[in-house]
Amino acid sequence: MGMFFLKELPSREMLKGYKERFPQMDVDDVGEGLRLLRRASLLLRRIEAYFATHKLSQTRFLVLIVLDREGLHGGLLAKEIAEKLDISRPIVTNTLKSMKDDGLLHINPHAEDGRAKWITLTGTGREKLSAVLPEYYAIIHDFMNTDKDEG
């Protein structure tokens, strides 16, 4: 996950100086975009710190969410999980294996294609997701209702 580590955003005067060098630049749009990047990074840090207390990462959480969302089908192929996440296939593969090792997922050969892997949540995986979602949503709610200029 990319983070925006700039603690002090450029002043409006500094952005106006850049506009003189790069006339196509819109000072208001760039200023707002930088503020959004900064706030999104702060929120991601809070969420990742919270996940760490539950032995999760953003990637592991997203795998749980995607599988939970597909509950009607019971599971997904490993390649379908990779397609639904904006994460490289090798990282997804390694994440799925470690989540299986931790008892969060079942990985079985697909009935029609023995090379394909069918991924389903275990009871432990469902419990983990149910345990983290309330506070996850509370963190987002609290963050969205704090002063937008904090940082």
Side-chain angles (χ1 to χ4, degrees):
M1 291 284 154
M3 292 279 211
F4 189 75
F5 290 111
L6 194 59
K7 284 187 176 182
E8 190 175 314
L9 295 177
S11 68
R12 186 163 179 78
E13 291 71 35
M14 182 183 289
L15 292 176
K16 285 180 181 176
Y18 280 116
K19 179 155 179 75
E20 290 175 18
R21 289 172 50 196
F22 309 105
Q24 71 279 14
M25 183 188 116
D26 184 293
V27 171
D28 292 331
D29 286 350
V30 170
E32 183 59 23
L34 292 173
R35 281 188 290 282
L36 285 171
L37 282 169
R38 175 75 181 136
R39 284 195 42 81
S41 291
L42 291 171
L43 178 57
L44 270 175
R45 287 181 193 173
R46 290 181 191 178
I47 288 171
E48 287 180 352
Y50 170 66
F51 285 160
T53 67
H54 289 276
K55 296 185 176 143
L56 284 177
S57 64
Q58 185 81 0
T59 303
R60 287 174 146 234
F61 174 76
L62 291 173
V63 168
L64 292 174
I65 284 287
V66 165
L67 283 166
D68 187 61
R69 188 171 68 192
E70 300 298 326
L72 296 175
H73 305 103
L76 288 170
L77 294 172
K79 71 176 189 173
E80 292 173 322
I81 293 172
E83 289 165 2
K84 291 177 182 292
L85 302 179
D86 189 18
I87 301 167
S88 76
R89 258 199 151 112
I91 290 174
V92 171
T93 300
N94 291 339
T95 300
L96 294 175
K97 184 186 177 321
S98 72
M99 291 176 75
K100 177 187 185 282
D101 293 346
D102 290 346
L104 301 173
L105 304 177
H106 293 297
I107 301 178
N108 296 301
H110 191 270
E112 288 120 35
D113 180 355
R115 293 170 301 154
K117 302 296 184 209
W118 185 248
I119 314 297
T120 56
L121 288 175
T122 62
T124 302
R126 288 190 191 291
E127 289 169 11
K128 174 74 81 173
L129 184 60
S130 292
V132 300
L133 279 176
E135 184 65 19
Y136 170 77
Y137 291 133
I139 289 167
I140 293 172
H141 173 80
D142 291 347
F143 187 83
M144 294 305 295
N145 288 287
T146 59
D147 179 9
K148 305 271 189 285
D149 293 325
E150 87 172 20

